Amino acid sequence: EPEVTQTPSHQVTQMGQEVILRCVPISNHLYFYWYRQILGQKVEFLVSFYNNEISEKSEIFDDQFSVERPDGSNFTLKIRSTKLEDSAMYFCASDHGTVQETQYFGPGTRLLVL
Amino acid sequence: DAKTTQPNSMESNEEEPVHLPCNHSTISGTDYIHWYRQLPSQGPEYVIHGLTSNVNNRMASLAIAEDRKSSTLILHRATLRDAAVYYCILGSGAGSYQLTFGKGTKLSVIP
């Protein structure tokens, strides 16, 4: 069964450093998403991406964040200058983009900002 | 966004059925009802979804009230692997496909 993959599984970085989280969505999916989950809290939507541009973004997704699909398979989330409060699990998801569609989530990247 | 209300936690004995309730009294006519679950240290995982009629799949059943203001996820025989946080989420469509997660119901399965 096809699955969403994410790398790295864990990332430790210093405050102020840039990080790039990588995802490989399911190959025939059209919509791609990033969510985050701070330890002990709810899963929060960050951004959705379709046809090489941002479709929706939340208030969390400020100028420090960017997304890109640099080639036909990868989908990346970049945090330009990390803050302590960016420490969280980051989940990538993908689907065909309809309201009744199933979103498939990756296993997540645990980001720790020191 | 239409909101859902779920109990914070529930317990079940292994191999017994589990009924997880969800209230969504402000649901609109086009909102789909989705259920996802999140096992410890994993990403959310799709369980089932429906619009008006009851639905069955290999993982679970979804019973939707006639007025659609509530629904129940049914796990027919709980296993230890079913211990997870279960989320009831309304898909509002209208070009917005993001999932809005609440706190969900933490299901504990007792051996």
Side-chain angles (χ1 to χ4, degrees):
Chain A
E1 185 173 316
E3 58 183 20
V4 176
T5 59
Q6 291 185 242
T7 53
S9 57
H10 294 80
Q11 173 104 37
V12 181
T13 190
Q14 295 292 322
M15 191 170 56
Q17 294 296 304
E18 174 184 286
V19 294
I20 298 176
L21 309 183
R22 291 182 168 79
C23 167
V24 179
I26 292 173
S27 62
N28 62 348
H29 283 179
L30 301 175
Y31 275 79
F32 315 114
Y33 308 83
W34 284 101
Y35 293 81
R36 80 170 186 191
Q37 186 174 32
I38 295 171
L39 188 63
Q41 297 189 25
K42 296 186 291 187
V43 177
E44 301 174 289
F45 168 78
L46 292 178
V47 66
S48 61
F49 191 83
Y50 169 72
N51 200 27
N52 279 322
E53 59 183 32
I54 290 174
S55 177
E56 284 183 289
K57 60 182 181 179
S58 71
E59 290 178 356
I60 303 167
F61 194 88
D62 62 21
D63 291 344
Q64 292 299 312
F65 292 89
S66 62
V67 288
E68 195 177 36
R69 189 153 160 83
D71 53 42
S73 59
N74 290 286
F75 178 51
T76 61
L77 174 69
K78 182 194 290 187
I79 309 175
R80 241 180 292 281
S81 177
T82 50
K83 304 173 193 155
L84 296 176
E85 54 264 37
D86 293 328
S87 296
M89 280 290 285
Y90 288 81
F91 296 108
C92 175
S94 70
D95 68 18
H96 289 110
T98 62
V99 68
Q100 65 270 38
E101 190 69 30
T102 298
Q103 281 188 23
Y104 292 84
F105 284 79
T109 293
R110 183 173 296 282
L111 176 65
L112 179 61
V113 182
L114 301 176
Chain B
D1 286 341
K3 301 288 185 223
T4 63
T5 305
Q6 299 177 253
N8 289 334
S9 62
M10 290 184 65
E11 262 186 9
S12 172
N13 293 317
E14 196 177 7
E15 298 191 3
E16 290 191 356
V18 183
H19 291 233
L20 297 164
C22 180
N23 287 318
H24 29 77
S25 58
T26 59
I27 191 170
S28 75
T30 56
D31 285 343
Y32 278 77
I33 302 159
H34 299 262
W35 284 83
Y36 283 76
R37 71 180 184 180
Q38 188 174 22
L39 279 64
S41 301
Q42 294 191 27
E45 173 188 35
Y46 168 80
V47 178
I48 200 165
H49 75 276
L51 184 61
T52 56
S53 305
N54 295 344
V55 185
N56 300 297
N57 67 20
R58 63 177 178 82
M59 288 181 72
S61 295
L62 176 60
I64 302 172
E66 206 168 312
D67 63 5
R68 300 207 330 125
K69 293 183 186 299
S70 65
S71 61
T72 303
L73 178 70
I74 302 164
L75 307 179
H76 296 287
R77 286 181 72 222
T79 68
L80 297 178
R81 198 197 172 274
D82 292 321
V85 179
Y86 287 79
Y87 301 99
C88 169
I89 300 170
L90 300 184
S92 60
S96 173
Y97 307 133
Q98 62 172 279
L99 295 174
T100 302
F101 289 80
K103 294 182 180 178
T105 297
K106 183 173 183 179
L107 175 66
S108 301
V109 180
I110 302 165

